[in-house]
Amino acid sequence: MTVDWATADDDATQPTDCVAASGTLTFVPGDTSEPIVVTVNGDGTAELDETFLVTLSAPGNATIGDGTGLGSIVDDELLSVIDIDEPTVAEGQSGSEQVTYTVILSHPAAFPVTVDWSTSGGHRHERAPTISARAGPSRSPRWTLSRPC
């Protein structure tokens, strides 16, 4: 018995997320399963989980029951780290000075990442401003970073 197979795009796209592949499986007498191996490409971009398809066609000496398999690529960069630097500014003798903080995302993201921020007064050991972030249109992981001011 034989069956042809091929990969197809869903949320994941070929060749960026996975390698396009196809072939023919042959079941020898006594076989009840055969493997299909699909190569998934890694990257350093935070993105939502993605899916691809493997479809079966042209069976020989058999019929196809469920002819589509859904493969999932689970993103491992979604837990990006948000960090903030600790700038120094001289207060001067009069007037006011501005200080610029730089907020850094550890991985580039394929979706918007929002950072809420606030300042607080007090001494370094009394209070710490908090930075939190939300990411993605359909998933909402949260990161929190506390640094003393």
Side-chain angles (χ1 to χ4, degrees):
M1 292 181 258
T2 61
V3 66
D4 293 340
W5 64 271
T7 57
D9 290 350
D10 195 41
D11 300 302
T13 57
Q14 303 170 101
T16 304
D17 298 310
C18 58
V19 177
S22 62
T24 300
L25 295 178
T26 300
F27 291 82
V28 297
D31 278 355
T32 57
S33 66
E34 289 292 326
I36 294 174
V37 178
V38 177
T39 301
V40 174
N41 297 322
D43 61 33
T45 302
E47 56 195 348
L48 299 178
D49 293 350
E50 299 168 307
T51 55
F52 62 93
L53 304 171
V54 175
T55 58
L56 303 177
S57 63
N61 298 322
T63 59
I64 295 175
D66 179 4
T68 303
L70 183 69
S72 296
I73 302 171
V74 178
D75 188 63
D76 59 352
E77 286 87 24
L78 235 165
L79 296 177
S80 295
V81 175
I82 294 177
D83 203 356
I84 188 169
D85 67 350
E86 296 180 350
T88 302
V89 63
E91 69 178 271
Q93 299 298 313
S94 64
S96 61
E97 297 293 328
Q98 292 185 335
V99 61
T100 300
Y101 288 84
T102 301
V103 178
I104 303 159
L105 185 62
S106 65
H107 301 290
F111 46 80
V113 174
T114 303
V115 176
D116 298 320
W117 63 273
S118 63
T119 59
S120 62
H123 296 285
R124 184 177 179 96
H125 63 277
E126 292 175 359
R127 293 172 144 181
T130 297
I131 293 178
S132 64
R134 301 181 296 285
S138 63
R139 293 170 63 187
S140 298
R142 292 211 175 262
W143 302 283
T144 301
L145 171 72
S146 295
R147 291 276 180 129
C149 64

